[in-house]
Amino acid sequence: MRGRDPPPPRGTVPRRRGPAMTAPAPWSLTENAPLQALNTFHVAARAPRLLRIADPAALPEALAAVAPAPLLVLGSGSNVLLAADPEDTVLCFENRDIAILEHRADHTVVQAGAGVSWHELVLWSLAEGLSGLENLALIPGTVGAAPIQNIGAYGAQVGEFIQLVDAWDTRDGAWVQLDQDACRFGYRDSLFKQEPDRYLITAVQFRLPLLNELRLDYAGIREELQAMGVELPVAADVANAVIAIRRRKLPDPERLGNAGSFFKNPMLPCEQAELLQHRYPELPVFDGDSEGRRKLSAAWMIQACGWKGRREGDAGVSPEHALVLVNHGNASGAELLAFARRISASVLETFGVPIEPEPRLIGARW
Ligand code: EPU
């Protein structure tokens, strides 16, 4: 029989390869679905039902099929801690199209589906000669999740480049387009956090400049570019510098479960921040918000309390970055949360400053 296909079993028709005759279903529903691969902490939770949306136009029909169940939307689960099995139907967007909507003299409008990987969009935009997103390279997660916490890094925040968000308003049962002002972007904040569960983001439109003033002042970027031998950087060089810094400082969620910064940098009234800075001259204090508050480095305080690199069971703090909580293997969401509470209690005791989680907690309150 060498060199020939084995004969088909009796009673079956031999298969022939040909073009696929069926398009992927616009949506699908799975019962009792494992979520370990759908959250970057790799917590082994399960969802009662998992609704996958490939075509957002089918969203109203799919929602009607699972109604009246409340929904939990997971992008790539990179900003969520599943402290318990969710009770809600989990919704995942799988629309992964990127399109140019408009070319203007100084900018281009790009639309990306909620299911597009964020870093893929950054790389795509740079390959198209567009700038703006370079400082946000390698942030885990999806396009649909990016506006929710207004992802930010190395001196840039995504909200600056968002023109419109397409969403389904679950309260009013209608499609909406929210412009930049309506999204109410702030530090790790937006309308979508202020009115949780109301909007299901299906696509985002970005206004990307052809020539953006590069932001090189955030600590480490200039040094990284210098080490790379780049004298006159373009946007792609900045992205490469950010990628190199992130790879060094932040653990890869593929290898070690984590959700990036677990704690937000706390904002304090100016006088209180100055008192602390006087007492701890090495505590990094950054410009805060328009109300004159200052932002303190939570990483520094956590490290000063001795948590950096510490491990209890399978829950731990990354040895590379004190803000990053990690799952060394089989920590449950509840164990990770209990560990995070011990960290925050010790920071409160030592510095008198409350710190709060950045990821969304499911099945628990902070
Ligand atoms: N620091 C420490 N110990 C550490 C890490 C940092 O003391 O282990 C101190 C250092 O003095 C450092 C300062 O904290 O100069 C700031 O560190 P870093 O530049 O890493 O910034 P961050 O404030 O800790 C924020 C974001 C990160 C983002 C970086 C870079 C938040 C909550 N986190 O971290 O975002 O990558 O800036 O822009 O704002 C994320 O959101 O998941 C995330 C990783």
Side-chain angles (χ1 to χ4, degrees):
M1 295 295 286
R2 272 185 81 203
R4 288 173 59 190
D5 283 347
R10 270 195 296 166
T12 61
V13 179
R15 292 185 64 218
R16 278 175 209 277
R17 279 185 210 287
M21 297 299 284
T22 48
W27 61 276
S28 67
L29 191 64
T30 315
E31 308 264 328
N32 188 23
L35 297 178
Q36 197 160 19
L38 283 179
N39 73 98
T40 58
F41 266 124
H42 307 309
V43 163
R46 295 188 86 85
R49 297 196 286 182
L50 176 64
L51 179 59
R52 294 175 190 269
I53 305 289
D55 176 3
L59 185 61
E61 175 194 313
L63 293 178
V66 298
L71 296 166
L72 165 67
V73 184
L74 280 187
S76 47
S78 59
N79 203 44
V80 72
L81 175 59
L82 299 168
D85 281 347
E87 289 172 4
D88 301 340
T89 298
V90 170
L91 175 64
C92 253
F93 284 101
E94 297 185 339
N95 52 324
R96 302 200 174 99
D97 40 322
I98 304 178
I100 290 179
L101 298 190
E102 197 183 343
H103 278 298
R104 287 289 180 100
D106 61 341
H107 71 267
T108 294
V109 179
V110 169
Q111 175 165 289
V116 173
S117 130
W118 173 258
H119 184 57
E120 194 186 308
L121 175 68
V122 175
L123 295 181
W124 179 93
S125 68
L126 292 166
E128 290 287 320
L130 303 171
S131 56
L133 306 184
E134 57 276 4
N135 295 48
L136 305 175
L138 212 62
I139 295 184
T142 56
V143 164
I148 298 176
Q149 60 141 347
N150 187 15
I151 56 170
Y154 304 101
Q157 303 192 83
V158 73
E160 302 166 55
F161 301 98
I162 289 180
Q163 175 160 295
L164 271 183
V165 170
D166 286 330
W168 175 259
D169 180 346
T170 59
R171 196 193 69 184
D172 296 347
W175 289 108
V176 288
Q177 287 202 310
L178 300 157
D179 65 14
Q180 194 182 45
D181 283 347
C183 290
R184 292 197 230 136
F185 292 118
Y187 167 62
R188 297 296 193 271
D189 196 25
S190 73
L191 168 75
F192 312 105
K193 267 194 161 175
Q194 294 151 17
E195 295 195 39
D197 302 327
R198 177 166 171 193
Y199 298 102
L200 301 175
I201 297 173
T202 54
V204 182
Q205 282 180 30
F206 300 88
R207 184 190 160 105
L208 301 179
L210 295 182
L211 268 182
N212 191 37
E213 202 175 319
L214 298 179
R215 295 175 202 189
L216 309 174
D217 290 330
Y218 196 93
I221 296 205
R222 280 186 203 281
E223 292 80 349
E224 196 67 37
L225 287 166
Q226 212 174 358
M228 286 159 54
V230 177
E231 279 175 20
L232 290 172
V234 294
D237 298 318
V238 177
N240 284 332
V242 167
I243 290 170
I245 300 172
R246 287 188 75 98
R247 288 223 164 103
R248 217 166 36 236
K249 280 198 178 176
L250 298 165
D252 177 0
E254 293 291 317
R255 294 198 206 136
L256 186 61
N258 75 85
S261 297
F262 188 81
F263 293 101
K264 285 191 278 194
N265 288 324
M267 299 273 216
L268 289 191
C270 204
E271 315 81 70
Q272 209 182 331
E274 274 166 15
L275 272 177
L276 273 168
Q277 210 174 14
H278 186 69
R279 200 157 159 207
Y280 304 99
E282 278 163 25
L283 166 62
V285 177
F286 311 105
D287 285 346
D289 56 14
S290 50
E291 286 147 51
R293 294 185 302 170
R294 313 293 308 275
K295 195 158 76 173
L296 268 53
S297 167
W300 190 90
M301 292 188 282
I302 292 168
Q303 181 169 349
C305 290
W307 290 97
K308 189 168 175 176
R310 203 192 285 183
R311 174 173 177 171
E312 291 178 8
D314 271 353
V317 172
S318 160
E320 282 104 28
H321 202 298
L323 271 188
V324 183
L325 202 67
V326 294
N327 179 4
H328 285 283
N330 295 315
S332 67
E335 283 163 349
L336 289 164
L337 183 61
F339 186 64
R341 285 195 171 120
R342 288 198 285 281
I343 296 172
S344 108
S346 90
V347 168
L348 182 63
E349 198 184 310
T350 310
F351 295 99
V353 177
I355 54 171
E356 290 184 355
E358 179 181 274
R360 182 165 180 196
L361 303 182
I362 303 302
R365 276 167 182 270
W366 181 240

